[in-house]
Every structure is written in structure tokens, then in C-alpha cells.
Amino acid sequence: MPRSLILLLSLIFLTPAVANAQQIDADVYESEFVWGINKNTAGGLIGGFMLRKSRRLSDRMFESYGLEVVNVKHSQETRRNSRTGNFYIYGKSNYLYTFRFQYGRELILFRKAPSQGVEIKAVAAIGPSLGLLAPYYIDYTTDRNTIISRTEQYDPNNPNHSYDQILGTGRLFQGVTESKIRIGANLKAALSFELGSLKSNVTGFEIGFLLDAYTQEIVLMPTADNSAIFPTAFITLFYGGRR
């Protein structure tokens, strides 16, 4: 058999195997680090931020360690305009800043082809939550005919804290040093969609459900119903790298 024919047959039979090996190698990675911005049903325009480190346990399974920092709001919070044009939330007495520490597993459901397609993972995580309950300060006036203001934590029992006497909110992060610590736990279930076209980069989004539960009631609005449990739906846009 001519050498040229042997070479041609070898190429025909070996090329698919080589291509398949390259494809398998293209989506194999040992670790991943991502960060992202969170939007959820218990937060504002930007609900918070997340960091997550993952490492491979098996062909399709990863374990992860994560941190989420979010501002949790009461479902009845609405912004109002004061007569000075400043915004405030009437009836709000406390902020809740939550630090969620998470340990989880990620299962690859669908792999993406090299440089194209979408990788889909099922994500589950659990861990402790550390809540900082910080006072919500308002600027108000004791004389409806002036705009000379005082600053205090909102108190529904204070007659000077009526909606027509509130001029706005206090300074950003005012009262954080007076925060009270609240201990709880969190549980997350989600689907992650990775859209990156490069093996070393990660771009995508995660969508799912998260439950925060604390050991005692969290009073955010004294005149409304408050709870120790905060269920939320969320979407997180993330970016990062892998190797």
C-alpha cells in the first residue's frame, strides 16, 4: 500500500479522535474565581455584591466557598419626596446589612463547546449569615414653617417624625457604628449560565432562590409586620477567571 494512502487513512481515522481530545481538554479547568453584582427582590437597584471560589472535585462536580454582602429591605418600603425635594422612606427605623458566608456544590448539567455555547450548572449553597442592624436616621424639623433640621433615628412614637416634618435621610452609612449584630443562616439554590468564549475567562449570570433566617425578629419598620425569615429571588451578573 502506498505510503501516501497510509498517511491519508491515518489522518481520516485519527483526526476525529484528536479533535475530540482537544474538545474535552478545552473545557476542563481545576478552579474558578468570580465576582458579581446582585439584584434581588429584597434589595434596591443594586442588591449587593458576591465573591466565590470554586475547585474541581470530579469531572462534573465542584465545591465552592462564597461571600455575599447585601442590603435587605422590608417589602413595604417606599420612597417619598419631602418638601425640600429629598427622598426618604417613611416608617423605616433600621437598615439590615447582611454578610452571607456560603459553602456549596456546583454540578455541571451541560458543557459548552470550546469558544461557543453555554455551560449550565446547578448550584446549591448553605452557611451562616451575619446581619448588621443599623439605625435609619432622618432629618426632620420641629417647626413646619422652617427647614432648620435635626437628625435622629426614626421613631414612630415621636410626634416630630410625622411625614410632613421629615426633610430627608441622614448621611450615608450614618449609624453603622451603632449596629447590632444578628445571627442567622442562609440557603441558596440556583442555576448558573456561563457565556464566556475564552477558557480562562468567565462571564455569565446566576438566577435562583435564597432564604435568610435569623434567630430573632428583624425590625425594619416598627409599624409593619416584621419577620426573622427573608425569602428572595435573585439574579447575579458575574465575571471572573479560571485555570
Side-chain angles (χ1 to χ4, degrees):
M1 185 178 293
R3 289 185 178 181
S4 57
L5 182 57
I6 294 174
L7 179 61
L8 179 60
L9 291 174
S10 299
L11 289 175
I12 292 174
F13 286 101
L14 292 178
T15 297
V18 172
N20 185 61
Q22 289 176 341
Q23 179 170 333
I24 293 174
D25 180 68
D27 63 9
V28 170
Y29 52 94
E30 295 301 319
S31 65
E32 179 180 275
F33 178 79
V34 299
W35 61 271
I37 299 175
N38 176 281
K39 169 68 176 175
N40 62 75
T41 54
L45 180 61
I46 297 178
F49 304 92
M50 62 82 76
L51 300 170
R52 185 171 66 229
K53 173 73 172 180
S54 305
R55 71 179 185 92
R56 177 182 293 276
L57 292 179
S58 64
D59 182 49
R60 290 183 176 269
M61 183 69 71
F62 288 76
E63 71 172 353
S64 63
Y65 299 88
L67 170 66
E68 295 185 0
V69 183
V70 297
N71 175 22
V72 179
K73 296 186 175 184
H74 195 283
S75 60
Q76 295 184 22
E77 289 186 19
T78 55
R79 294 206 308 173
R80 291 192 181 188
N81 260 321
S82 70
R83 55 193 175 98
T84 61
N86 295 322
F87 289 106
Y88 68 96
I89 301 173
Y90 185 65
K92 183 179 180 70
S93 183
N94 289 293
Y95 291 105
L96 177 60
Y97 301 107
T98 298
F99 295 79
R100 299 175 182 141
F101 303 91
Q102 297 172 334
Y103 172 78
R105 295 295 174 94
E106 304 170 24
L107 175 64
I108 298 177
L109 301 178
F110 299 99
R111 297 185 187 276
K112 69 183 184 71
S115 303
Q116 62 182 347
V118 179
E119 180 173 279
I120 303 177
K121 295 178 183 175
V123 179
I126 190 171
S129 295
L130 177 66
L132 298 182
L133 193 64
Y136 178 76
Y137 279 87
I138 58 168
D139 291 332
Y140 71 98
T141 179
T142 58
D143 185 350
R144 290 178 173 83
N145 297 318
T146 69
I147 57 172
I148 299 174
S149 66
R150 300 180 181 180
T151 302
E152 288 180 352
Q153 181 182 11
Y154 173 78
D155 181 356
N157 298 316
N158 189 327
N160 291 317
H161 291 183
S162 61
Y163 70 91
D164 58 339
Q165 290 179 250
I166 297 177
L167 305 177
T169 62
R171 300 186 306 275
L172 183 65
F173 297 122
Q174 185 176 9
V176 168
T177 57
E178 305 166 49
S179 299
K180 300 175 182 178
I181 295 177
R182 296 292 183 263
I183 302 298
N186 65 85
L187 176 66
K188 179 174 77 171
L191 287 176
S192 173
F193 300 84
E194 193 269 297
L195 311 173
S197 60
L198 299 176
K199 178 183 176 181
S200 59
N201 292 335
V202 184
T203 304
F205 65 94
E206 185 175 288
I207 184 168
F209 174 83
L210 189 141
L211 184 70
D212 266 318
Y214 291 89
T215 57
Q216 62 190 101
E217 183 181 71
I218 305 296
V219 179
L220 300 178
M221 300 184 69
T223 58
D225 291 333
N226 293 277
S227 177
I229 299 175
F230 296 86
T232 59
F234 70 89
I235 181 170
T236 299
L237 305 179
F238 62 78
Y239 178 82
R242 59 172 52 142
R243 57 185 179 84

